[in-house]
Structures are given as structure tokens and as C-alpha cells.
Amino acid sequence: MIIDKLSEENLDKQQSRKIIKKAGDILKKGGLVAFPTETVYGLGADALNPEAAKKIYSAKGRPSDNPLIVHIADFADIKKIVEEVPDSARILADKFWPGPLTMILKKSAAVPDTTSGGLNTVAIRMPSNKIALELIKASGGYIAAPSANTSGKPSPTMAEHVASDLDGRIDMLIDGGEVGIGLESTIVDLTVDRPVILRPGAITQRMLSDVIGEVLIDEALIKADSTVRPKAPGMKYKHYAPKAQITIIEGNKESVVKYINEEISKKLQEMYEQEDGSGKNIFDNPLALDIIEGRIGILCSEETKNLYPYGYAKSVGHYNNEEEIARNLYAVLRDFDKTSVEIIYSESFYTPNMGHAIMNRLLKAAGHHRIQL
Ligand code: TXA
Ligand code: MG
């Protein structure tokens, strides 16, 4: 796998252009290139080349009924891949493109089944990351790109995440540093009478309805049980999940911290008994405590991380900085995988705007395992 570094600031440099051209050529020839977007890293292939798009599924280990998002760099290019462009799509593109919004529209015959997962619709997005935009142009205009993680893992927010998941399976990785947003784009379905959000993201329901009127939310996103099938095929899979089982604790901050600490004490004793079997108290054995507490993780905030005397506490950021929480979430989930943590207690982050997207991903990572205090 070729790895090249690029920065959005100096794409005009000859060296940068060379790299973009090389990546574009790989895509034109049907190869796979991972690249940064403002949301998460994408794994790109020529969206209009069925064989190329197919390679994405095997590189990621992704189920083939899960359609890909087509990334464009110029609004005029949308015509080739859709049957019609509804007014709502024009209005939303005007307001939010380039940016973290994906629209579902009726597809044209130009979009192969491998890209659309056999559906008669297609997901389209114009990213705002300049590296992504230049790459799309250099590749012929249409890049199919899911998040560049192994299927089931959290989406990559840094090039290192991509390398650790996909090295040896793709042709090239463009390292553009850490992404800005950290959660995947909002997906809105415009093929129905009333637009529906299929995946929450940085562009909120409120922001959408302010410009196109009523926007619904896919019921499956709200209901925790799996009896309602989500309309975005990818949303039905358990993902973003670290190896350890996560339990989310919801309630006011003080009681959450207290509850988690009590649970940890119980769990530590339980784990000690399994190992030791003598019925002794783990808190009388500092050596054992020191080892065993590394098996318990806590996903928390800057404000609370020092309130947990036992366990491995990792902060995702400050409560009042939702951008920071969104940007750090996946990296923190990935970090837990590098430790000996077996179970994770997580605080909840119902922040004003991004909270819906943050909690959607966290709940999925936890397999909807939560306790409401
Ligand atoms: O922010 C993003 O959207 C990132 C970056 C790379 O652009 N991409 C991304 O792609 O998150 P992916 O493949 O990981 O997620 C795409 C989601 C999946 O849940 C898929 O099922 C859904 O979009 N999707 C794609 N085409 C669809 C369609 N025609 N109808 C309904 N859902 C669709
Ligand atoms: Mg994904």
C-alpha cells in the first residue's frame, strides 16, 4: 500500500498535485484509494465501474447488500447518476454542500448495482474536504466510498486507523491528518413524500427542516429493539463496536458517576473471586487490584475522568464541547481495543445538536445495552 501525506492548505504545490494525480489514476484503473473527508476517512473506488466498486466489499468484509455513497465534486455531475433532481435536493445542496450531508435520490442506469447494493436509489454526497474534492475530480468525478474501516469497527478518523484495518487490502492511503467532524454524514432520503433522516449526523433534523420544511426521522433509529428494520441497510448492523461490551448509563451526572463506581467495585470483587477463589476482599490486596482494574474501562468526560478511582477512564472531551466529543469518540473506542479492558461503562452525551448523532453511534457500539437511572 502506498501512503502519501497531503494537507488541505498546500494542494497547489506541484508535489501535492502529483500525489492527487497518482491517486486519481489508481481509481481510474479500478483500484482502491483511502482518503480523508471532513466526516471520516473513506475507502474510494470508481463508482461507475462495477468491478472496482465490488472490490470495496471484499477489502472491508462488507455485506454486499449494503450500498455505497457516491461522492461528487460538482453539483452538475449529479445529473448523470440520478433519474431526476427534486427541488428539495437543489435547496439542500445549495445550503449544505459541500458538507456532511448525504442525499438519497432515484438512481439512473449509470450507477451499477454493485454501488447501489441492488436498490433503485443512490446515496450522494459532496464532501467539503479539499483533498477529497481534488481526488474526485482527478478520478473522473464519481467516487464510491464507504467509511475506510473493516466492517464492524468504528469509522477511521485518522490515517493510522485506516492503515491498521486495511493495509495490504488497498492500493493507496492519503494521509490528510485527523478529520474535523469525526462522525459520518447525515443521510436524508428524498425519494419519499416527506424527507426522512436515515442516519443522524452533524447536519441536524432542525437544520434540514429550517430549509425544506418537515423532515422525519427513521423510526428504526429511535426504537432500540430490532423489530423495525432501518431504511439505510447499513444501520442494521451492530457496529462502531470495540471488543469489550459497553453499558451506557443515563441519568444526571452525579448519580451516573456514583452508579458506575459502585458497579466497578462489585465487578472488581467478582473478577477477583474468579481468579483467586479464596473469598478475600480485593481492596485488601493492592497488587491484585492494580492488575484487575485494567480489565474495566470507563468512557467519560474531562470533567468526570478524575472521579473514578478504579478502572481505566478515558475522556472523549468536555461536556460543553460537542464537536470535541464527536471528533474523539471513534478514536477512544479504538483505543480501548488496544488495552486489556473487557467491559466498559459509558456516560451518555445528549448534547444540544450533535447529541443525537453521538448517542446513535454510542448506542450501536453498545448493542443498545443501557441503564436508565
Ligand atoms: O460521512 C460519510 O458519509 C462517510 C464518508 C466517507 O463520506 N461515508 C460513509 O459511508 O459513512 P458508509 O458506507 O460507511 O455508510 C453509508 C450508509 C450505510 O448505512 C448505507 O446502508 C447507507 O448509507 N446507504 C447507502 N446508499 C443507500 C441507499 N440508496 N438507500 C438507503 N441507504 C443507503
Ligand atoms: Mg461505515
Side-chain angles (χ1 to χ4, degrees):
M1 175 179 77
I2 306 166
I3 305 183
D4 276 303
K5 270 191 204 266
L6 280 179
S7 119
E8 284 187 88
E9 283 73 49
N10 50 27
L11 286 175
D12 292 341
K13 285 199 178 147
Q14 206 188 350
Q15 176 63 11
S16 305
R17 286 198 205 157
K18 261 194 188 157
I19 293 169
I20 293 282
K21 177 160 187 326
K22 181 168 64 180
D25 287 345
I26 291 175
L27 289 169
K28 280 181 180 164
K29 285 190 199 126
L32 299 182
V33 177
F35 61 98
T37 82
E38 71 280 18
T39 57
V40 298
Y41 273 76
L43 174 57
D46 179 351
L48 306 186
N49 172 345
E51 289 313 311
K54 218 168 164 178
K55 284 187 196 162
I56 287 179
Y57 293 93
S58 54
K60 276 182 65 100
R62 178 176 173 119
S64 61
D65 68 341
N66 192 359
L68 309 171
I69 296 175
V70 179
H71 295 65
I72 58 172
D74 183 347
F75 186 74
D77 290 344
I78 202 174
K79 286 200 201 93
K80 185 171 174 180
I81 53 174
V82 302
E83 216 167 67
E84 51 172 357
V85 185
D87 286 343
S88 52
R90 272 179 223 287
I91 297 168
L92 289 177
D94 235 26
K95 178 88 181 167
F96 298 112
W97 276 3
L101 178 69
T102 295
M103 301 189 222
I104 309 283
L105 297 170
K106 296 219 170 75
K107 81 172 188 82
S108 76
V111 182
D113 278 348
T114 38
T115 295
S116 67
L119 300 174
N120 57 6
T121 56
V122 59
I124 309 168
R125 171 162 119 80
M126 190 193 294
S128 64
N129 181 292
K130 295 196 179 71
I131 300 168
L133 290 170
E134 288 308 312
L135 181 63
I136 295 165
K137 288 182 210 156
S139 73
Y142 303 91
I143 299 185
S147 48
N149 51 288
T150 306
S151 206
K153 284 220 186 177
S155 296
T157 55
M158 303 176 197
E160 299 81 76
H161 298 161
V162 181
S164 92
D165 280 14
L166 299 177
D167 192 10
R169 296 168 167 264
I170 64 177
D171 301 297
M172 182 173 175
L173 162 59
I174 299 177
D175 178 351
E178 191 180 359
V179 301
I181 296 176
L183 297 179
E184 306 85 345
S185 61
T186 303
I187 302 180
V188 62
D189 184 356
L190 298 178
T191 64
V192 283
D193 284 343
R194 287 182 296 174
V196 186
I197 292 178
L198 308 188
R199 181 175 70 184
I203 309 286
T204 62
Q205 181 182 27
R206 182 63 190 276
M207 288 158 80
L208 295 173
S209 61
D210 276 352
V211 287
I212 55 166
E214 191 182 21
V215 174
L216 308 174
I217 293 194
D218 186 4
E219 228 187 310
L221 298 182
I222 300 160
K223 295 218 170 108
D225 58 58
S226 52
T227 51
V228 192
R229 204 184 155 87
K231 295 194 176 68
M235 296 298 278
K236 70 175 177 276
Y237 302 105
K238 172 177 178 180
H239 50 295
Y240 318 115
K243 291 180 201 126
Q245 171 63 53
I246 305 178
T247 303
I248 300 168
I249 318 296
E250 299 178 354
N252 76 53
K253 288 181 190 101
E254 259 169 57
S255 17
V256 167
V257 172
K258 184 162 172 276
Y259 181 89
I260 291 178
N261 277 326
E262 284 165 5
E263 285 302 298
I264 290 176
S265 295
K266 276 190 246 163
K267 203 79 206 174
L268 286 169
Q269 183 62 30
E270 223 177 273
M271 286 173 162
Y272 182 51
E273 256 155 43
Q274 267 169 17
E275 303 245 310
D276 182 83
S278 68
K280 279 190 240 154
N281 187 334
I282 186 171
F283 295 97
D284 296 333
N285 185 346
L287 215 64
L289 180 60
D290 203 37
I291 297 169
I292 292 179
E293 71 164 340
R295 290 163 60 185
I296 299 179
I298 306 141
L299 196 153
C300 59
S301 67
E302 278 304 306
E303 288 84 358
T304 52
K305 70 175 182 200
N306 294 324
L307 303 177
Y308 299 101
Y310 307 110
Y312 173 61
K314 269 200 87 69
S315 152
V316 284
H318 298 83
Y319 279 126
N320 61 1
N321 187 343
E322 51 182 347
E323 283 83 14
E324 183 188 24
I325 297 173
R327 192 167 50 241
N328 289 334
L329 179 65
Y330 288 154
V332 168
L333 291 177
R334 279 179 179 264
D335 279 348
F336 276 122
D337 272 353
K338 292 187 207 139
T339 69
S340 48
V341 162
E342 294 161 22
I343 53 169
I344 298 169
Y345 295 99
S346 174
E347 295 179 1
S348 54
F349 305 91
Y350 287 97
T351 61
N353 305 301
M354 294 283 283
H356 187 205
I358 294 167
M359 289 311 295
N360 168 261
R361 306 308 195 276
L362 195 52
L363 280 160
K364 278 171 70 74
H368 285 272
H369 214 256
R370 66 165 138 184
I371 291 168
Q372 278 152 318
L373 300 179

